[in-house]
Amino acid sequence: MKASAISHRVFCLHADIKTDDLFEGIWPIPEGVSLNTYLVKGEKIALIDLIRDWTGAPGQVEDALKGLGLGFSDIDYLILNHLEPDHSGWLREFRAQNPRAEILATAKGINLVKSFYKIEDGLRAVKDGETLDLGGGMELQFFETPNIHWPETMVTWEPKSGTLFTCDAFGSFGTLGERVFDDEFSPAEHDFFEKETLRYYANIVSSFSLFVEKAVQKLSALDIQCIAPSHGIVWRKNPKTIIDRYVRYASYAKGPAEKEIAIVWGSMYGSTKQGLDAVIRGIEAEGVPYSIHRIPDENVSYVLADAYKSRGLLIAMPTYEYAMFPPMAYMLDIFRRKHINGKTVLRIGSWGWVGGAKKEYEAAIEPLKWNSLESVEWAGSPTAEEIKVLEDRGRELARTVSA
Ligand SMILES: Cc1cc2nc3c(=O)[nH]c(=O)nc-3n(C[C@H](O)[C@H](O)[C@H](O)COP(=O)(O)O)c2cc1C
Ligand SMILES: [Fe+2]
Ligand SMILES: [Fe+2]
């Protein structure tokens, strides 16, 4: 992949990762992900964020460097905004090729360089607001933005071009191909990236929304011309678009989110589905948009994205061995871990002889501070009266969500 110029001294070099591997060992990335690194040229040369050795990423970045007439051995400073291995996994190999480059990170980041990579020399901890003079009128400045999403995270600012290198913040899933800038993608491609940004945010960043808000506030005085994250699109035309998007996503953590309902359902033989169809008729009668996800068929990554952005949830599952349908227990555990708080929720489900989902469910959602509507359970398949109640409850959920 060739390097893309942000200015005549600032370049994006990226590797596209296409793999069946799960991101962070948990989230599917069928459309891949990009690992972006950035090169800033003064008299000295800085590389911002590294890569891991994943589907040939080092070779892809090396090719881009070659296109600029450079190699890894020409780098004077390696800036590590974040030490998660997707941005640092290749550090020892980099070091072997270039023993003289100084590695810069926050103090907490430097500790992680030592513990993950057993590198002790040529390290420099930078403080909040500190600058690095690259010569030739080029300078970098570092701002700590802790907990997006690790404790050591910082962003790097290049004032000449007004570029903010944000690592995971403002990132997205999805490969880039030959284009990296926001103004190079079609509306349909932007729709794709918007969905993948929400999923990335809900999967990776949502638990740290408070810190996203703090970081955006802290950096608001900068005259940002370009947002350069280490995954996904580089925003040189409309950086505000991605900032606003992240601010909106961060606000969902406190509620209220979008006036939509995410339906999450599982069923063994279809009895729960019969009741679910009635609730959906009620929701449709009120005209409230909904997404629908069957588990475990659908990966939790996608369910999480829609649940995160929706005000309302509809949870439908049968009783299984005196407790919840197991995939729902896993889903609710993920909701708890990812702080899917403050939702308006309806639970429904079928049981055979005594039930049991209710008890386990109520304990599971206790920490989530959900506004629960009265749940509906029935034996076997629902009666005509139960169908009527389910339809009404669907309308009630929809009305509450759209109020
Ligand atoms: C493996 C299995 C375990 C079950 N465990 C219970 C149970 O502990 N208590 C109960 O009342 N019903 C139990 N049932 C019955 C189901 O809850 C009941 O058939 C329900 O209608 C299934 O809904 P579904 O068709 O949406 O899966 C169980 C059914 C299966 C297949
Ligand atoms: Fe990360
Ligand atoms: Fe990352």
Side-chain angles (χ1 to χ4, degrees), residues 23-24 35 82 84 86-87 149 167-168 200 204 230-231:
F23 193 80
E24 293 184 343
L35 301 181
H82 173 34
E84 190 167 358
D86 53 333
H87 309 290
H149 55 138
C167 200
D168 277 348
Y200 170 97
I204 291 168
S230 289
H231 303 290

Side-chain angles (χ1 to χ4, degrees), residues 22-151:
L22 300 172
F23 193 80
E24 293 184 343
I26 173 166
W27 317 114
I29 40 169
E31 310 297 335
V33 65
S34 74
L35 301 181
N36 307 347
T37 79
Y38 296 92
L39 188 110
V40 181
K41 272 166 91 174
E43 282 158 10
K44 302 274 188 187
I45 297 176
L47 191 68
I48 302 174
D49 293 325
L50 199 60
I51 39 165
R52 67 180 278 215
D53 190 357
W54 199 13
T55 72
Q60 293 184 50
V61 172
E62 189 169 30
D63 285 349
L65 276 171
K66 265 192 202 143
L68 298 173
L70 297 168
F72 285 113
S73 58
D74 296 308
I75 308 298
D76 298 295
Y77 300 106
L78 178 63
I79 318 291
L80 296 176
N81 283 320
H82 173 34
L83 264 295
E84 190 167 358
D86 53 333
H87 309 290
S88 65
W90 199 63
L91 190 56
R92 284 184 68 86
E93 291 84 349
F94 171 83
R95 233 315 149 77
Q97 288 197 25
N98 180 342
R100 66 177 186 86
E102 194 169 26
I103 298 169
L104 288 77
T106 60
K108 284 180 179 162
I110 292 297
N111 283 340
L112 296 180
V113 171
K114 293 176 183 171
S115 59
F116 278 80
Y117 303 106
K118 311 301 177 209
I119 294 173
E120 295 286 337
D121 303 323
L123 309 178
R124 191 201 303 189
V126 296
K127 293 207 171 62
D128 189 39
E130 192 172 326
T131 56
L132 174 71
D133 187 0
L134 297 178
M138 294 299 280
E139 186 177 85
L140 295 174
Q141 190 171 17
F142 311 107
F143 296 103
E144 290 188 358
T145 51
N147 299 311
I148 309 177
H149 55 138
W150 281 22

